Amino acid sequence: QICLSLVKLLFYLAHSPLGSIVLLDFQPRQFVMVDGDLKVTDMDDASTEELSCKEDNDCTLDFPTKTFPLKCSAVGKCEGINEKKNLFNAYRYFFTYLLPHSAPQALRPFLSDILNATGDLRYGINETLKAFEKVLHLYKSGLYLQKRPLLLKDYISLKGFRMVEGEDYKCWPSYSHLGCLLSVHSAEEAAAICNSQSQCQSFIITQQRTWTGRPLASFQSSPTDLIPDANAVVYIKRSASSGKRL
């Protein structure tokens, strides 16, 4: 969410009515999330000036770890230098820390492609936004889910109940520090996640939604301690349902 919002912001800056705007003091502290969107807190260090040049050798974009040669345009300006400077700073301060770690396994190659392409400045801001929107579409639609054996048949569903909330086993990247609360596309994906975790014996699809509209599923190690809830369904592994406490 943070990276996509940043890319949308940089897309606007690259195509603003004032021309291409560069953020000269590009640091994470310069941004804040407001209602799910990333905003710049200080525009004092923004500039529409693009580096003047006489030849291509005048257009070198220098960073501490990389240097990029750019073209000198017919009007004597380094082509796209403001856009490229913003994009590489987004890569070094945001993408490298946030993109590789929390996406579903099937989507990680797409994010790795974005990471590599922006790190080498092979993508401009237009291509970067298009690539992010493709990943978001795959994520929201569930199209990233590979064909696999149906696992939900290995679970008993108990309608009209939910599990008592409490501290349970932890997983990553959980939305709750008390237990294992993950975003899922469907109960079938939740069953696959539960099967992949040795502690998991049951789960419930909660009423909570993430910013993409996907529901959160709560995974627990014990299928006991159920309480009535007309709007809920608990899914319990058949192998766990034979326990005498249930």
Side-chain angles (χ1 to χ4, degrees):
Q1 182 182 16
I2 293 172
C3 291
L4 175 62
S5 187
L6 176 59
V7 169
K8 288 180 177 179
L9 173 61
L10 297 187
F11 179 86
Y12 173 78
L13 294 179
H15 301 285
S16 84
L18 300 176
S20 182
I21 299 174
V22 63
L23 301 177
L24 298 175
D25 186 20
F26 197 115
Q27 299 284 341
R29 66 174 179 268
Q30 297 288 88
F31 301 89
V32 64
M33 290 293 285
V34 179
D35 296 328
D37 291 319
L38 207 65
K39 307 286 186 181
V40 183
T41 60
D42 185 2
M43 292 294 288
D44 289 345
D45 294 309
S47 173
T48 58
E49 292 294 320
E50 291 196 305
L51 187 65
S52 298
C53 58
K54 293 182 178 179
E55 57 183 26
D56 290 350
N57 288 339
D58 297 330
C59 296
T60 302
L61 187 54
D62 288 315
F63 291 97
T65 58
K66 284 191 176 182
T67 299
F68 300 97
L70 304 180
K71 297 288 184 181
C72 183
S73 72
V75 295
K77 298 290 183 181
C78 295
E79 287 185 359
I81 191 168
N82 288 351
E83 173 187 328
K84 293 179 185 297
K85 186 178 290 187
N86 283 341
L87 189 55
F88 190 78
N89 278 326
Y91 160 81
R92 64 197 283 236
Y93 288 117
F94 288 88
F95 297 173
T96 54
Y97 297 104
L98 300 177
L99 283 187
H101 306 298
S102 60
Q105 192 67 40
L107 289 178
R108 291 183 187 181
F110 295 97
L111 295 179
S112 180
D113 286 345
I114 294 174
L115 197 62
N116 292 333
T118 53
D120 295 333
L121 286 184
R122 287 186 284 109
Y123 279 1
I125 191 62
N126 294 1
E127 295 88 351
T128 303
L129 178 58
K130 185 177 180 180
F132 266 101
E133 288 179 336
K134 176 183 177 181
V135 175
L136 179 63
H137 172 67
L138 293 173
Y139 185 61
K140 291 175 69 173
S141 65
L143 290 173
Y144 69 91
L145 294 169
Q146 300 170 344
K147 290 183 179 180
R148 63 182 75 180
L150 298 178
L151 301 173
L152 199 58
K153 60 180 173 53
D154 297 328
Y155 289 77
I156 294 173
S157 61
L158 295 178
K159 297 181 179 180
F161 291 93
R162 63 178 172 86
M163 294 176 287
V164 176
E165 293 184 12
E167 192 165 347
D168 207 308
Y169 78 91
K170 311 294 193 299
C171 68
W172 189 88
S174 176
Y175 283 80
S176 169
H177 67 280
L178 295 176
C180 187
L181 187 66
L182 300 175
S183 164
V184 297
H185 177 258
S186 62
E188 187 63 51
E189 184 183 13
I193 293 173
C194 189
N195 275 25
S196 71
Q197 299 174 345
S198 59
Q199 307 100 311
C200 184
Q201 296 296 317
S202 59
F203 66 87
I204 182 172
I205 309 296
T206 74
Q207 299 298 310
Q208 296 174 268
R209 293 291 186 270
T210 69
W211 66 282
T212 62
R214 287 162 54 101
L216 294 178
S218 177
F219 301 87
Q220 293 200 351
S221 59
S222 171
T224 56
D225 302 325
L226 304 179
I227 57 176
D229 186 332
N231 299 316
V233 181
V234 176
Y235 297 88
I236 303 172
K237 279 184 179 178
R238 292 184 183 275
S239 58
S241 65
S242 57
K244 60 185 180 181
R245 287 186 63 194
L246 180 65

